[in-house]
Amino acid sequence: MLKGGIREWKEKGFAVVVSDADGEAKGPRLYKQHCAACHGDAGQGMANHFPPLENDPMMKSKDAWPAIWVTLEGLGGRPLAGRTYMGSMGPFKKILTDDEIAALLTYARREFGGVKTPVLPSHVLDVRRDIAGAQWKPKGMQTPKP
């Protein structure tokens, strides 16, 4: 096992190969670590506090963009499916890497929505870029060119 973990080794510039088996195990592990306390081990949610993920439209959608956006930016204070939940979800954009979000959402969408198509790290990066490009700017302000 690498001392310090894979992320630290990558940051130091060492080549790290992660097996497909580790990638398959990463999603459930990340869900349990970051999501299960609120959304439940079985995606059942917590009544009046956090919505269930089981059969949630974002989990069932062929388009992963909304689920990626919510994972990156967080969500709270808005009704979901006609219900308002007291809890809010914080953003994971600075906590999880694109690889981690992809693994987590691939697992969650398969487990709770029946979607077999994986979420790729490139999909997460695309949404990050969409979010960064859509930030509010005062009227007439131009984006500086590099």
Side-chain angles (χ1 to χ4, degrees):
M1 187 66 171
L2 300 174
K3 187 173 183 179
I6 291 172
R7 184 180 297 153
E8 183 178 323
W9 275 63
K10 284 181 180 178
E11 288 170 357
K12 290 180 180 179
F14 291 98
V16 178
V17 177
V18 179
S19 72
D20 288 340
D22 183 54
E24 286 293 317
K26 190 187 304 183
R29 184 175 66 244
L30 288 165
Y31 179 83
K32 185 172 182 153
Q33 182 179 0
H34 296 285
C35 311
C38 298
H39 292 292
D41 289 334
Q44 75 275 15
M46 187 182 298
N48 300 318
H49 293 279
F50 298 99
L53 298 180
E54 184 80 274
N55 294 315
D56 181 280
M58 276 193 283
M59 294 295 112
K60 294 171 82 170
S61 174
K62 289 181 182 179
D63 183 3
W65 197 99
I68 296 169
W69 187 93
V70 168
T71 305
L72 288 170
E73 292 293 303
L75 187 65
R78 291 183 19 197
L80 297 172
R83 295 191 61 190
T84 301
Y85 295 90
M86 293 169 41
S88 64
M89 180 175 145
F92 285 90
K93 64 185 170 189
K94 293 182 180 178
I95 297 170
L96 299 175
T97 66
D98 293 350
D99 290 342
E100 291 169 329
I101 291 172
L104 181 135
L105 287 176
T106 295
Y107 166 74
R109 288 165 47 81
R110 282 183 183 161
E111 187 72 16
F112 307 124
V115 176
K116 305 289 185 216
T117 308
V119 175
L120 302 176
S122 61
H123 299 151
V124 179
L125 179 60
D126 288 345
V127 177
R128 280 188 196 271
R129 288 178 177 156
D130 286 349
I131 291 167
Q135 290 182 0
W136 179 84
K137 297 179 181 94
K139 191 173 185 177
M141 184 172 192
Q142 302 267 329
T143 303
K145 293 182 181 177

